[in-house]
Amino acid sequence: MKGYYARKLHSLLGVIPLALFFIEHALTNFGAFEGGPERFNAGVKLLNDLPLIFVLEWVLIYLPLIYHGVYGLYIAYQAKPNTGRFNYERNWRYLLQRITGVITFVYIIWHVFETRFQITLGNVTHEELGSLMHDIVTQPVFFILYLIGVVSASFHFANGLWSFLVAWGITVGPRAQRVSSYVCMTLFVVVALLFILSLVAFRRAEFQEASVWIDTVKSVLS
């Protein structure tokens, strides 16, 4: 029963709050594609102006993420894929869920180190996040790695949502599970597209120009 509750908590945290934050993150980043640096910076500022943002980040993002990620690695280690014997869609999704889970956890650690951790260290400000992302994704290797990361995270999120609905008895029966599968896979495509378009937007010259403008202001003030 201890393992049962641990898995239930792992499943629940994957949806509340992590999936909700994931969608919010996709929409905030998509602001870079829709409105350039101004729109993206406005979204970042809105989040960071929330009261007790440091506490909210740890309670609603980092602690759930650490538990979900570490326990997810344990689940992936215990997994026994049988796609070789039973070449069914669900078996492939079971395998991909574990593979993308590992990729996503590593990607998130790397992404947080490159962005949020650098803000904590004082190396960049929130206003410079867009130009920082520009510097990262204009490097071809990093751009490809980011593409792999966001697509993996999007699949893990959407397929995990489908598994959550099944595991918690929300979608009961073949028809309900089939419909939810269509909905979740559509959600995967939509969210992955939002992130991909965001990465493309961060490569634009306007984010480099924003970086130059910030550096100019800093030099004048200093």
Short mmCIF file of all heavy atoms in Angstrom, two decimals, residues 1 12 27 41 46 61 70 82 93 96 107 116 134 138 147 150 161 168 181 186 190 194 214 216:
data_model
loop_
_atom_site.label_atom_id
_atom_site.label_comp_id
_atom_site.label_asym_id
_atom_site.label_seq_id
_atom_site.Cartn_x
_atom_site.Cartn_y
_atom_site.Cartn_z
N MET A 1 0.83 -1.21 0.00
CA MET A 1 0.00 0.00 0.00
C MET A 1 0.86 1.26 0.00
O MET A 1 0.49 2.28 -0.54
CB MET A 1 -0.92 0.02 1.23
CG MET A 1 -1.99 -1.06 1.19
SD MET A 1 -3.07 -0.92 -0.26
CE MET A 1 -3.94 0.59 0.11
N LEU A 12 -0.74 12.43 -9.13
CA LEU A 12 -1.48 13.65 -8.82
C LEU A 12 -0.63 14.89 -9.03
O LEU A 12 -1.07 15.87 -9.63
CB LEU A 12 -2.00 13.59 -7.38
CG LEU A 12 -2.82 14.81 -6.92
CD1 LEU A 12 -4.08 14.94 -7.74
CD2 LEU A 12 -3.16 14.67 -5.44
N LEU A 27 2.15 29.05 -22.60
CA LEU A 27 1.46 30.27 -23.03
C LEU A 27 2.33 31.51 -22.85
O LEU A 27 2.34 32.41 -23.69
CB LEU A 27 0.15 30.42 -22.25
CG LEU A 27 -0.91 29.35 -22.52
CD1 LEU A 27 -2.10 29.52 -21.59
CD2 LEU A 27 -1.36 29.40 -23.98
N ASN A 41 8.18 39.73 -22.05
CA ASN A 41 8.60 40.36 -20.80
C ASN A 41 7.42 40.71 -19.91
O ASN A 41 7.51 40.63 -18.68
CB ASN A 41 9.43 41.62 -21.09
CG ASN A 41 10.81 41.30 -21.65
OD1 ASN A 41 11.33 40.21 -21.42
ND2 ASN A 41 11.38 42.23 -22.40
N LEU A 46 4.46 39.65 -14.99
CA LEU A 46 3.20 39.33 -14.32
C LEU A 46 3.41 38.21 -13.31
O LEU A 46 2.91 38.27 -12.18
CB LEU A 46 2.16 38.92 -15.36
CG LEU A 46 0.79 38.49 -14.81
CD1 LEU A 46 0.10 39.66 -14.13
CD2 LEU A 46 -0.08 37.93 -15.94
N ILE A 61 6.11 24.36 -7.59
CA ILE A 61 6.88 23.90 -8.75
C ILE A 61 8.04 22.99 -8.34
O ILE A 61 8.05 21.80 -8.69
CB ILE A 61 7.43 25.11 -9.55
CG1 ILE A 61 6.28 26.01 -10.01
CG2 ILE A 61 8.23 24.61 -10.76
CD1 ILE A 61 6.72 27.29 -10.67
N VAL A 70 12.15 12.44 -9.44
CA VAL A 70 12.98 11.39 -8.82
C VAL A 70 12.20 10.07 -8.74
O VAL A 70 12.72 9.00 -9.09
CB VAL A 70 13.46 11.83 -7.42
CG1 VAL A 70 14.15 10.67 -6.70
CG2 VAL A 70 14.42 13.01 -7.54
N ASN A 82 7.13 -4.41 -22.99
CA ASN A 82 6.93 -5.66 -23.73
C ASN A 82 6.49 -5.39 -25.17
O ASN A 82 5.69 -6.14 -25.75
CB ASN A 82 5.90 -6.55 -23.02
CG ASN A 82 4.55 -5.84 -22.87
OD1 ASN A 82 4.41 -4.68 -23.25
ND2 ASN A 82 3.58 -6.55 -22.31
N ARG A 93 3.14 3.59 -25.99
CA ARG A 93 2.96 4.80 -25.20
C ARG A 93 3.49 4.63 -23.79
O ARG A 93 4.04 5.57 -23.19
CB ARG A 93 1.49 5.22 -25.20
CG ARG A 93 1.08 5.88 -26.51
CD ARG A 93 -0.40 6.05 -26.66
NE ARG A 93 -0.99 6.86 -25.62
CZ ARG A 93 -2.26 7.29 -25.64
NH1 ARG A 93 -3.02 6.98 -26.69
NH2 ARG A 93 -2.75 8.01 -24.67
N LEU A 96 7.23 5.02 -24.29
CA LEU A 96 7.57 6.41 -24.57
C LEU A 96 7.37 7.31 -23.36
O LEU A 96 8.11 8.29 -23.18
CB LEU A 96 6.73 6.92 -25.75
CG LEU A 96 7.11 6.39 -27.13
CD1 LEU A 96 6.11 6.86 -28.17
CD2 LEU A 96 8.52 6.85 -27.51
N TYR A 107 16.22 17.53 -19.07
CA TYR A 107 16.06 18.80 -19.79
C TYR A 107 15.65 19.93 -18.84
O TYR A 107 16.18 21.05 -18.93
CB TYR A 107 15.02 18.63 -20.90
CG TYR A 107 14.51 19.93 -21.46
CD1 TYR A 107 15.32 20.74 -22.26
CD2 TYR A 107 13.21 20.37 -21.18
CE1 TYR A 107 14.84 21.94 -22.78
CE2 TYR A 107 12.74 21.57 -21.69
CZ TYR A 107 13.55 22.34 -22.48
OH TYR A 107 13.09 23.54 -22.97
N ARG A 116 16.59 30.19 -14.62
CA ARG A 116 16.19 30.63 -13.27
C ARG A 116 17.36 30.70 -12.31
O ARG A 116 17.47 31.63 -11.51
CB ARG A 116 15.12 29.68 -12.71
CG ARG A 116 14.45 30.21 -11.44
CD ARG A 116 13.67 31.46 -11.76
NE ARG A 116 13.05 32.05 -10.59
CZ ARG A 116 13.64 32.93 -9.79
NH1 ARG A 116 14.90 33.30 -10.03
NH2 ARG A 116 13.01 33.47 -8.77
N HIS A 134 17.66 33.83 -26.58
CA HIS A 134 18.15 34.08 -27.94
C HIS A 134 19.58 33.56 -28.09
O HIS A 134 19.91 32.89 -29.07
CB HIS A 134 18.09 35.57 -28.25
CG HIS A 134 18.76 35.94 -29.54
ND1 HIS A 134 18.11 35.84 -30.76
CD2 HIS A 134 20.00 36.41 -29.81
CE1 HIS A 134 18.94 36.22 -31.72
NE2 HIS A 134 20.10 36.56 -31.17
N THR A 138 20.13 30.24 -30.65
CA THR A 138 20.77 30.55 -31.93
C THR A 138 21.98 29.65 -32.15
O THR A 138 22.57 29.67 -33.25
CB THR A 138 21.21 32.03 -31.99
OG1 THR A 138 21.90 32.39 -30.80
CG2 THR A 138 19.99 32.93 -32.19
N LEU A 147 14.57 21.53 -28.84
CA LEU A 147 13.45 20.94 -29.57
C LEU A 147 13.12 19.56 -29.03
O LEU A 147 11.94 19.23 -28.79
CB LEU A 147 13.77 20.85 -31.06
CG LEU A 147 13.68 22.14 -31.87
CD1 LEU A 147 14.10 21.88 -33.31
CD2 LEU A 147 12.27 22.74 -31.83
N VAL A 150 11.46 20.01 -25.49
CA VAL A 150 10.08 20.50 -25.40
C VAL A 150 9.09 19.50 -25.99
O VAL A 150 7.96 19.36 -25.50
CB VAL A 150 9.92 21.89 -26.08
CG1 VAL A 150 10.77 22.93 -25.37
CG2 VAL A 150 10.25 21.84 -27.57
N LEU A 161 -1.38 12.88 -18.68
CA LEU A 161 -2.74 13.30 -18.37
C LEU A 161 -3.74 12.20 -18.70
O LEU A 161 -4.67 11.93 -17.93
CB LEU A 161 -3.08 14.58 -19.15
CG LEU A 161 -4.47 15.16 -18.96
CD1 LEU A 161 -4.71 15.52 -17.50
CD2 LEU A 161 -4.66 16.40 -19.85
N TRP A 168 -7.18 7.28 -12.11
CA TRP A 168 -8.05 7.84 -11.06
C TRP A 168 -9.52 7.55 -11.33
O TRP A 168 -10.39 8.12 -10.68
CB TRP A 168 -7.80 9.34 -10.93
CG TRP A 168 -6.49 9.64 -10.24
CD1 TRP A 168 -5.24 9.57 -10.78
CD2 TRP A 168 -6.31 10.02 -8.87
NE1 TRP A 168 -4.28 9.89 -9.84
CE2 TRP A 168 -4.91 10.17 -8.67
CE3 TRP A 168 -7.18 10.25 -7.81
CZ2 TRP A 168 -4.38 10.53 -7.43
CZ3 TRP A 168 -6.66 10.62 -6.59
CH2 TRP A 168 -5.27 10.76 -6.41
N SER A 181 -7.98 9.72 -25.25
CA SER A 181 -6.71 9.54 -25.95
C SER A 181 -6.60 10.53 -27.11
O SER A 181 -5.55 11.16 -27.30
CB SER A 181 -6.59 8.11 -26.47
OG SER A 181 -5.38 7.93 -27.17
N THR A 186 -4.14 15.33 -29.15
CA THR A 186 -4.32 16.64 -29.79
C THR A 186 -3.67 17.73 -28.95
O THR A 186 -3.01 18.64 -29.47
CB THR A 186 -5.81 16.95 -29.99
OG1 THR A 186 -6.41 15.93 -30.80
CG2 THR A 186 -6.01 18.31 -30.65
N VAL A 190 -0.70 20.47 -29.91
CA VAL A 190 -0.90 21.91 -29.72
C VAL A 190 0.18 22.50 -28.81
O VAL A 190 0.81 23.52 -29.14
CB VAL A 190 -2.30 22.19 -29.14
CG1 VAL A 190 -2.44 23.67 -28.73
CG2 VAL A 190 -3.38 21.83 -30.14
N LEU A 194 3.21 25.17 -29.62
CA LEU A 194 3.40 26.43 -28.91
C LEU A 194 4.87 26.61 -28.51
O LEU A 194 5.45 27.69 -28.68
CB LEU A 194 2.52 26.48 -27.66
CG LEU A 194 1.01 26.60 -27.85
CD1 LEU A 194 0.29 26.59 -26.51
CD2 LEU A 194 0.65 27.86 -28.62
N ILE A 214 19.34 46.73 -23.58
CA ILE A 214 19.51 46.59 -22.13
C ILE A 214 20.96 46.88 -21.74
O ILE A 214 21.23 47.56 -20.74
CB ILE A 214 19.08 45.20 -21.66
CG1 ILE A 214 17.57 45.05 -21.78
CG2 ILE A 214 19.50 44.94 -20.21
CD1 ILE A 214 17.06 43.64 -21.51
N THR A 216 23.04 48.76 -23.29
CA THR A 216 23.29 50.19 -23.46
C THR A 216 22.77 50.97 -22.24
O THR A 216 23.45 51.86 -21.72
CB THR A 216 22.58 50.71 -24.73
OG1 THR A 216 23.07 49.98 -25.85
CG2 THR A 216 22.85 52.19 -24.92
#
